[in-house]
Amino acid sequence: MKLSAALLLAPLVLLASAAPNANPATAEEAVKEKIAAISVREAAPVQLHARAPVTGTVNANNVRYRRCARTSCEAIGQYHNGQRITITCRVRGESINGWDWWDKMSNGYYISDYYVSWTGGVPDIC
């Protein structure tokens, strides 16, 4: 049985439309966009064998990344506004300004998702 190209591409179009704006005006707007993107993805989940990491852009200066998803964990370094990162997945951790998601980066460390704008999709949950 052959499937049409449109049917095969529909999940990818859905994921692309769920991606938040790369340059929100404020961190609060970025969080609102993420909530909307997560809602779209959960309403129509896409089963994929392997998902590519999601790219993110840090939207504040001197944002520390840490060994775990809490500010009590050791800070390893910091990123600056506009710096791009690779997110492998997201986890729940300490709440930062009411947002408790943290992004696990490709380097194995965590950064508060409150300070990151996603580009290219919604990160999986770890």
Side-chain angles (χ1 to χ4, degrees):
M1 173 188 298
K2 290 185 177 181
L3 296 175
S4 71
L7 183 61
L8 292 172
L9 294 176
L12 298 175
V13 171
L14 177 64
L15 284 175
S17 66
N21 179 359
N23 296 313
T26 67
E28 183 176 329
E29 288 175 9
V31 169
K32 287 178 183 176
E33 289 179 6
K34 288 176 188 178
I35 291 169
I38 291 168
S39 298
V40 168
R41 179 159 178 219
E42 289 175 355
V46 177
Q47 299 297 323
L48 300 174
H49 293 289
R51 292 208 19 141
V54 172
T55 302
T57 303
V58 176
N59 58 28
N61 278 317
N62 305 318
V63 179
R64 293 185 178 124
Y65 57 93
R66 302 174 178 279
R67 291 195 185 274
C68 75
R70 305 195 64 74
T71 57
S72 60
C73 290
E74 178 185 10
I76 304 303
Q78 63 187 13
Y79 292 129
H80 301 287
N81 191 25
Q83 191 158 358
R84 302 194 36 100
I85 59 172
T86 301
I87 304 164
T88 58
C89 59
R90 59 191 165 101
V91 299
R92 291 210 184 250
E94 179 182 348
S95 178
I96 304 296
N97 296 320
W99 189 249
D100 63 355
W101 287 104
W102 286 66
D103 299 325
K104 183 175 183 181
M105 300 178 294
S106 58
N107 62 10
Y109 298 119
Y110 296 85
I111 186 169
S112 172
D113 186 66
Y114 183 80
Y115 299 108
V116 177
S117 299
W118 303 331
T119 52
V122 176
D124 280 334
I125 296 172
C126 299

PDB file of all heavy atoms in Angstrom, residues 83-99:
ATOM      1  N   GLN A  83      23.383  33.392  22.312  1.00  0.00           N
ATOM      2  CA  GLN A  83      24.192  32.194  22.131  1.00  0.00           C
ATOM      3  C   GLN A  83      23.292  31.012  21.810  1.00  0.00           C
ATOM      4  O   GLN A  83      22.249  30.825  22.404  1.00  0.00           O
ATOM      5  CB  GLN A  83      25.013  31.908  23.376  1.00  0.00           C
ATOM      6  CG  GLN A  83      26.049  30.835  23.150  1.00  0.00           C
ATOM      7  CD  GLN A  83      27.185  30.922  24.155  1.00  0.00           C
ATOM      8  OE1 GLN A  83      27.231  31.803  25.004  1.00  0.00           O
ATOM      9  NE2 GLN A  83      28.106  30.005  24.039  1.00  0.00           N
ATOM     10  N   ARG A  84      23.700  30.199  20.828  1.00  0.00           N
ATOM     11  CA  ARG A  84      22.912  29.035  20.416  1.00  0.00           C
ATOM     12  C   ARG A  84      23.396  27.798  21.152  1.00  0.00           C
ATOM     13  O   ARG A  84      24.594  27.632  21.366  1.00  0.00           O
ATOM     14  CB  ARG A  84      22.998  28.866  18.911  1.00  0.00           C
ATOM     15  CG  ARG A  84      22.499  30.146  18.249  1.00  0.00           C
ATOM     16  CD  ARG A  84      22.178  30.142  16.809  1.00  0.00           C
ATOM     17  NE  ARG A  84      21.590  29.008  16.193  1.00  0.00           N
ATOM     18  CZ  ARG A  84      20.289  28.889  15.912  1.00  0.00           C
ATOM     19  NH1 ARG A  84      19.449  29.830  16.269  1.00  0.00           N
ATOM     20  NH2 ARG A  84      19.846  27.851  15.257  1.00  0.00           N
ATOM     21  N   ILE A  85      22.422  26.952  21.527  1.00  0.00           N
ATOM     22  CA  ILE A  85      22.730  25.708  22.229  1.00  0.00           C
ATOM     23  C   ILE A  85      21.969  24.565  21.563  1.00  0.00           C
ATOM     24  O   ILE A  85      21.010  24.800  20.829  1.00  0.00           O
ATOM     25  CB  ILE A  85      22.352  25.787  23.726  1.00  0.00           C
ATOM     26  CG1 ILE A  85      20.861  26.078  23.900  1.00  0.00           C
ATOM     27  CG2 ILE A  85      23.202  26.826  24.440  1.00  0.00           C
ATOM     28  CD1 ILE A  85      20.369  25.992  25.340  1.00  0.00           C
ATOM     29  N   THR A  86      22.398  23.340  21.846  1.00  0.00           N
ATOM     30  CA  THR A  86      21.701  22.160  21.352  1.00  0.00           C
ATOM     31  C   THR A  86      21.049  21.467  22.535  1.00  0.00           C
ATOM     32  O   THR A  86      21.718  21.121  23.512  1.00  0.00           O
ATOM     33  CB  THR A  86      22.682  21.200  20.646  1.00  0.00           C
ATOM     34  OG1 THR A  86      23.291  21.909  19.565  1.00  0.00           O
ATOM     35  CG2 THR A  86      21.967  19.977  20.115  1.00  0.00           C
ATOM     36  N   ILE A  87      19.731  21.272  22.452  1.00  0.00           N
ATOM     37  CA  ILE A  87      18.943  20.673  23.528  1.00  0.00           C
ATOM     38  C   ILE A  87      18.628  19.231  23.148  1.00  0.00           C
ATOM     39  O   ILE A  87      18.039  18.977  22.094  1.00  0.00           O
ATOM     40  CB  ILE A  87      17.631  21.459  23.738  1.00  0.00           C
ATOM     41  CG1 ILE A  87      17.932  22.933  24.013  1.00  0.00           C
ATOM     42  CG2 ILE A  87      16.797  20.829  24.830  1.00  0.00           C
ATOM     43  CD1 ILE A  87      16.726  23.846  23.858  1.00  0.00           C
ATOM     44  N   THR A  88      19.012  18.295  24.003  1.00  0.00           N
ATOM     45  CA  THR A  88      18.722  16.894  23.719  1.00  0.00           C
ATOM     46  C   THR A  88      17.356  16.485  24.274  1.00  0.00           C
ATOM     47  O   THR A  88      16.682  15.640  23.696  1.00  0.00           O
ATOM     48  CB  THR A  88      19.812  15.966  24.286  1.00  0.00           C
ATOM     49  OG1 THR A  88      19.918  16.182  25.689  1.00  0.00           O
ATOM     50  CG2 THR A  88      21.143  16.243  23.623  1.00  0.00           C
ATOM     51  N   CYS A  89      16.953  17.083  25.406  1.00  0.00           N
ATOM     52  CA  CYS A  89      15.644  16.796  25.993  1.00  0.00           C
ATOM     53  C   CYS A  89      15.393  17.794  27.120  1.00  0.00           C
ATOM     54  O   CYS A  89      16.252  18.608  27.422  1.00  0.00           O
ATOM     55  CB  CYS A  89      15.563  15.365  26.501  1.00  0.00           C
ATOM     56  SG  CYS A  89      16.791  14.929  27.751  1.00  0.00           S
ATOM     57  N   ARG A  90      14.209  17.712  27.735  1.00  0.00           N
ATOM     58  CA  ARG A  90      13.881  18.628  28.833  1.00  0.00           C
ATOM     59  C   ARG A  90      13.382  17.840  30.028  1.00  0.00           C
ATOM     60  O   ARG A  90      12.817  16.759  29.893  1.00  0.00           O
ATOM     61  CB  ARG A  90      12.862  19.674  28.376  1.00  0.00           C
ATOM     62  CG  ARG A  90      11.573  19.085  27.868  1.00  0.00           C
ATOM     63  CD  ARG A  90      10.712  20.142  27.192  1.00  0.00           C
ATOM     64  NE  ARG A  90       9.677  19.478  26.415  1.00  0.00           N
ATOM     65  CZ  ARG A  90       8.418  19.344  26.802  1.00  0.00           C
ATOM     66  NH1 ARG A  90       8.021  19.832  27.952  1.00  0.00           N
ATOM     67  NH2 ARG A  90       7.556  18.726  26.032  1.00  0.00           N
ATOM     68  N   VAL A  91      13.612  18.401  31.224  1.00  0.00           N
ATOM     69  CA  VAL A  91      13.202  17.767  32.476  1.00  0.00           C
ATOM     70  C   VAL A  91      12.559  18.815  33.376  1.00  0.00           C
ATOM     71  O   VAL A  91      12.774  20.007  33.206  1.00  0.00           O
ATOM     72  CB  VAL A  91      14.401  17.129  33.230  1.00  0.00           C
ATOM     73  CG1 VAL A  91      15.065  16.054  32.405  1.00  0.00           C
ATOM     74  CG2 VAL A  91      15.406  18.181  33.643  1.00  0.00           C
ATOM     75  N   ARG A  92      11.811  18.354  34.351  1.00  0.00           N
ATOM     76  CA  ARG A  92      11.260  19.263  35.359  1.00  0.00           C
ATOM     77  C   ARG A  92      12.291  19.417  36.469  1.00  0.00           C
ATOM     78  O   ARG A  92      12.944  18.463  36.859  1.00  0.00           O
ATOM     79  CB  ARG A  92       9.966  18.730  35.921  1.00  0.00           C
ATOM     80  CG  ARG A  92       8.856  18.751  34.888  1.00  0.00           C
ATOM     81  CD  ARG A  92       7.531  18.944  35.565  1.00  0.00           C
ATOM     82  NE  ARG A  92       6.474  18.877  34.585  1.00  0.00           N
ATOM     83  CZ  ARG A  92       5.758  19.912  34.201  1.00  0.00           C
ATOM     84  NH1 ARG A  92       5.991  21.094  34.714  1.00  0.00           N
ATOM     85  NH2 ARG A  92       4.813  19.788  33.307  1.00  0.00           N
ATOM     86  N   GLY A  93      12.419  20.639  36.958  1.00  0.00           N
ATOM     87  CA  GLY A  93      13.370  20.921  38.020  1.00  0.00           C
ATOM     88  C   GLY A  93      12.873  22.076  38.863  1.00  0.00           C
ATOM     89  O   GLY A  93      11.669  22.302  38.977  1.00  0.00           O
ATOM     90  N   GLU A  94      13.794  22.821  39.411  1.00  0.00           N
ATOM     91  CA  GLU A  94      13.444  23.984  40.232  1.00  0.00           C
ATOM     92  C   GLU A  94      12.720  25.023  39.386  1.00  0.00           C
ATOM     93  O   GLU A  94      13.093  25.290  38.249  1.00  0.00           O
ATOM     94  CB  GLU A  94      14.723  24.582  40.807  1.00  0.00           C
ATOM     95  CG  GLU A  94      14.489  25.803  41.658  1.00  0.00           C
ATOM     96  CD  GLU A  94      15.791  26.398  42.181  1.00  0.00           C
ATOM     97  OE1 GLU A  94      16.855  25.757  42.072  1.00  0.00           O
ATOM     98  OE2 GLU A  94      15.738  27.515  42.701  1.00  0.00           O
ATOM     99  N   SER A  95      11.707  25.627  39.957  1.00  0.00           N
ATOM    100  CA  SER A  95      10.937  26.653  39.256  1.00  0.00           C
ATOM    101  C   SER A  95      11.720  27.964  39.196  1.00  0.00           C
ATOM    102  O   SER A  95      12.215  28.449  40.206  1.00  0.00           O
ATOM    103  CB  SER A  95       9.600  26.877  39.968  1.00  0.00           C
ATOM    104  OG  SER A  95       8.877  27.900  39.322  1.00  0.00           O
ATOM    105  N   ILE A  96      11.822  28.504  37.989  1.00  0.00           N
ATOM    106  CA  ILE A  96      12.440  29.805  37.768  1.00  0.00           C
ATOM    107  C   ILE A  96      11.339  30.717  37.226  1.00  0.00           C
ATOM    108  O   ILE A  96      10.825  30.481  36.127  1.00  0.00           O
ATOM    109  CB  ILE A  96      13.610  29.722  36.758  1.00  0.00           C
ATOM    110  CG1 ILE A  96      14.662  28.701  37.202  1.00  0.00           C
ATOM    111  CG2 ILE A  96      14.218  31.101  36.515  1.00  0.00           C
ATOM    112  CD1 ILE A  96      15.371  29.031  38.488  1.00  0.00           C
ATOM    113  N   ASN A  97      10.960  31.718  38.024  1.00  0.00           N
ATOM    114  CA  ASN A  97       9.890  32.639  37.637  1.00  0.00           C
ATOM    115  C   ASN A  97       8.620  31.900  37.215  1.00  0.00           C
ATOM    116  O   ASN A  97       7.962  32.273  36.250  1.00  0.00           O
ATOM    117  CB  ASN A  97      10.357  33.576  36.530  1.00  0.00           C
ATOM    118  CG  ASN A  97      11.470  34.482  36.985  1.00  0.00           C
ATOM    119  OD1 ASN A  97      11.455  34.985  38.104  1.00  0.00           O
ATOM    120  ND2 ASN A  97      12.457  34.684  36.143  1.00  0.00           N
ATOM    121  N   GLY A  98       8.302  30.812  37.915  1.00  0.00           N
ATOM    122  CA  GLY A  98       7.080  30.068  37.644  1.00  0.00           C
ATOM    123  C   GLY A  98       7.189  29.018  36.551  1.00  0.00           C
ATOM    124  O   GLY A  98       6.221  28.357  36.232  1.00  0.00           O
ATOM    125  N   TRP A  99       8.363  28.840  35.974  1.00  0.00           N
ATOM    126  CA  TRP A  99       8.563  27.856  34.894  1.00  0.00           C
ATOM    127  C   TRP A  99       9.559  26.818  35.382  1.00  0.00           C
ATOM    128  O   TRP A  99      10.712  27.144  35.660  1.00  0.00           O
ATOM    129  CB  TRP A  99       9.081  28.568  33.643  1.00  0.00           C
ATOM    130  CG  TRP A  99       9.129  27.728  32.413  1.00  0.00           C
ATOM    131  CD1 TRP A  99      10.242  27.289  31.773  1.00  0.00           C
ATOM    132  CD2 TRP A  99       8.026  27.224  31.670  1.00  0.00           C
ATOM    133  NE1 TRP A  99       9.908  26.552  30.686  1.00  0.00           N
ATOM    134  CE2 TRP A  99       8.540  26.491  30.599  1.00  0.00           C
ATOM    135  CE3 TRP A  99       6.645  27.307  31.815  1.00  0.00           C
ATOM    136  CZ2 TRP A  99       7.721  25.849  29.665  1.00  0.00           C
ATOM    137  CZ3 TRP A  99       5.842  26.681  30.879  1.00  0.00           C
ATOM    138  CH2 TRP A  99       6.385  25.967  29.825  1.00  0.00           C
TER     139      TRP A  99
END
